[in-house]
Amino acid sequence: MAVDPHLLANAIRALSMDAVEAANSGHPGMPMGMADVATLLWTEYLKHDPADPKWPDRDRFVLSAGHGSMLIYALLHLTGYARPTIADIKGFRQLGSPCAGHPENFLLDGVEATTGPLGQGVAMAVGMAIAERHLNAEYGDALVDHRIWAIAGDGCLMEGVNHEAAGLAGHLALGRLTVLWDDNKITIDGATGLSTSEDIEARYAAYGWHVVRCDGHDRADVRRALDAALADPRPSLIACRTIIGKGAPNKQGTAATHGAALGAEEVAAARKELAWEHAPFELPDEIVEGWREAGRRSRGDHAAWRRRLEASADKAEFLRRMAGDLPAGFSLADYIQSLIEAPQKVATRKASEMALEAINAILPETIGGSADLTGSNNTKTKNQKPLTKSDYSGRYIYYGIREFGMAAAMNGMALHGGIIPYGGTFLVFTDYARPAIRLSALQQARVIYVMTHDSIGLGEDGPTHQPIEHLMSLRAMPNLDVYRPADVVETAECWELALRDESGPSVLALTRQNLPQLRTQPADNLCAKGAYRLRAAAAARKVVLVATGSEVELALSVAEALEGQGVGADVVSMPCWERFDGQDEAYRAAILPEGPLLVSIEAGATLGWERYTGRSGLNIGLDRFGASAPAGDLFKHFGFTADAIVPRIVAALKD
Ligand SMILES: Cc1ncc(C[n+]2csc(CCOP(=O)(O)OP(=O)(O)O)c2C)c(N)n1
Ligand SMILES: [Mg+2]
C-alpha cells in the first residue's frame, strides 16, 4: 500500500531538523520548505537508480541552493543509496562524514555537483543540459535521453551568474532543463523585499524560458507544474511558493529557520505539529519502505537501457567517453615531430590552435568555445561547427560575453561526463570566471581554460587588459594546474598534460605575440616535470635563470649576454609550478641547485617566486599595472630586456 506522501515528506523534515540539531549547525529551513516538492520530484519524476548511481542515462539533480544540503542527504538515504547511512547523517557537518556542510560531488554518489556558492548550481545544470543534448545528438535516444533538474533558492536567482546561465539556456532552447525555484521570499537578512523587487518570472520568460507557478505545498498543483514543464520544449522555471521551515510552528516563514538549529523546544513543537512521534534519526519501516519503493521505480528503465546498450554498435566508444578515458594510444607525438622537422615562430595562442587541430581530429569528446573572443583565443578549429539549438551535435559553443557562465557551464559538462570542455577568454578575465574555476578545482573537474593575452605583451589594449597578479593568484588555487608554455612545442605538451589530467582543471596562459620555437630536438614531454633545463651553462655556472612563457626567450638572451662576460648561466623553463612541485627532491635540486644566483623572470607579479629563488635570489617581474603601448615598447619600458636585466644580475653577483 502506498504511503501517504505527507509522511514521506515529513521524513525529510525530521531528518533535516534532527541532523542540524545534532550538529548545532546547518540550514533546516530550506529542506523543510522544499520537502513536499522534492518528495514528488524524487518519487514520481526523477529517473535514477540508487543501486547504480552512475548509470549514464540517469537524470541529473543539482541542489543549487546547496546550504539546504540536508535535503539531498535525506533524499539519497531514503531512496536507498548505499551512502549516506543514518550514521553518516548523524555525523552531518563533522569530520569524516560524507554529509559535508554543503554537498560535495566527490563525497557521495548522487551528488552530481558541489554547490553552496549560490547561483553556480543553476549554471552547472545548464552545462549538464548542453551535455545531454550534445550526447543525444551523437548517440541517439537509445543511449542518451534524460533530464536535468535543479533546485534554486532566492539567492541563486539573485546572483549575476544566473543571468548568464539562463540567457544561454534560453538561447540554446535546453528543454531538458527544469529549475525549481524555492520561492519562499526569505533570505538570511529577512524578507526578499528588503533587497529585491524584480519580476523573476518575467525575466525568465524574456530569456525564452517556459515559466509556471505553483503552490509548493499542494501536491496536485506541483504535479501540474511539473507536467507543464515536461510538456514544454523550452527550459522551464517552476516558481514553487513555499514556506521556509514548514513544520516548525513558531519559526516557519521566517529567516530564523534559514541557517540555525531550531532549538530543542521548537523541534519538539515541530514533532507535534507534524505528528511525528519518532525519536531523532528513527524512521518507521513503513516510511522507509515507501521511499525505497520509489527508489526502485526506474529499475525497469535502467534494465531496458542496458539492453539497448548491449545491442548498440556504439557501446564501447560510449562507455569510454562516459568513463572519461582517452582513446587507447592517444598521443600528440606525430604532431610534435612535425614541429621538430619544421620549426614554427607563432604566438602560443596560435600554437594552441595548431595543437587543437590535432586534438580535435582524434578526440571526439572535446567541446570548445569562447566568451566572444574566438578569433583572439584561437579556440575554434576547422572541423568544429557551432553547437546550436537546431544542431546540438556541434562541438563549438559561442558563449557570448559570459565568462562566469561559460566556466560554470563547462563544469556542468565535465561533471555530466562524456565531454572534455575547453573555453577561452583573456587571462585578465579569469577574474570574471574565478568562482567557477575554483569549483572546477574543488570538484576535480577536467575543464581546460584557454586564457590568452597573458601579459603586458598584449600591448596597446593597456592596463585594463594586461594581467599582472593573475598567474600567481591562479597558482595559489589548490588542484589547479597553471601552464605557461614558452613555444609551440611546449604548448602541445601542456595541452596533452591538461587532457590527461582527469581529476582537475588546467589553465593554459598563452601569448598574443609571436615566440620563436625554442625546442628543436626530439624529446619526451619535458613539460610533464613542470620545469626543465632548456640550456646548460657553458662557462662555470654562477646563475640559474628560471622563466615562463614569453620570458623564456628573454632568459636565453640574458644567458647569452652573461656567458659573453664569462658568467655561466643555466636557463630553466618552468611552464607549470604545480608539476614541478610534484617532482622528487633530487630532481628539484638538480634543476634549481644551491649555490648559483637564482633569478626568476616573468612579466607578472613577483610574489611567490621567492619559493624557488630564495631570499637572496633576484625576482624580475611587474608589481604594478601596465600601460598602453606596443608590446615591444612596454617590455623595454618595464625592464624586460637583456640590456636591463644583465646589469642587475651582475650587480647581484657582486653582493
Ligand atoms: C555566492 C554566495 N554568497 C553568499 C552565500 C551565503 N548564503 C548562503 S544561503 C544565503 C541566503 C540565500 O537565500 P535563499 O536562496 O533564499 O535561501 P533560503 O534562505 O530561502 O534557504 C546566503 C547569502 C553563499 N552561499 N554563496
Ligand atoms: Mg529564500
Side-chain angles (χ1 to χ4, degrees), residues 1-3 43 78-79 288-298:
M1 200 188 73
V3 182
T43 55
L78 291 166
T79 52
V288 171
E289 187 40 40
W291 269 109
R292 294 291 145 87
E293 200 183 314
R296 291 190 288 267
R297 248 182 52 252
S298 304

Side-chain angles (χ1 to χ4, degrees), residues 4-20:
D4 177 355
H6 290 108
L7 296 178
L8 299 180
N10 285 345
I12 296 175
R13 292 193 167 95
L15 280 177
S16 299
M17 67 182 184
D18 289 341
V20 172

Side-chain angles (χ1 to χ4, degrees), residues 27-31 64-68 102 115-120 152-159 181-190 192 242 244-245 254-255 257-259 404 435:
H27 302 75
M30 186 274 172
S64 189
H67 58 280
H102 293 79
T115 52
L118 298 172
Q120 288 203 61
D154 299 302
C156 293
L157 301 190
M158 283 189 206
E159 290 291 351
W181 166 29
D182 179 17
D183 178 17
N184 59 23
K185 305 209 185 297
I186 291 290
T187 67
I188 293 176
D189 279 355
T192 49
T242 62
I244 190 169
T254 76
T257 66
H258 163 91
F404 190 3

Side-chain angles (χ1 to χ4, degrees), residues 23 68 76 79 180 190 226 283 320 370 381 420 428 453 480 578 637 644 651 654:
L76 293 173
T79 52
L180 298 129
L226 284 167
L283 299 165
R320 175 189 77 73
S370 167
T381 57
I420 302 177
V428 78
H453 298 58
L480 173 67
E578 296 79 9
H637 178 71
K654 286 195 185 124

Side-chain angles (χ1 to χ4, degrees), residues 387-412:
L387 185 155
T388 66
K389 66 177 172 187
S390 50
D391 183 3
Y392 291 115
S393 74
R395 291 174 56 195
Y396 194 80
I397 298 179
Y398 290 106
Y399 286 102
I401 306 91
R402 299 182 177 108
E403 295 82 8
F404 190 3
M406 169 177 75
M410 291 199 292
N411 281 336

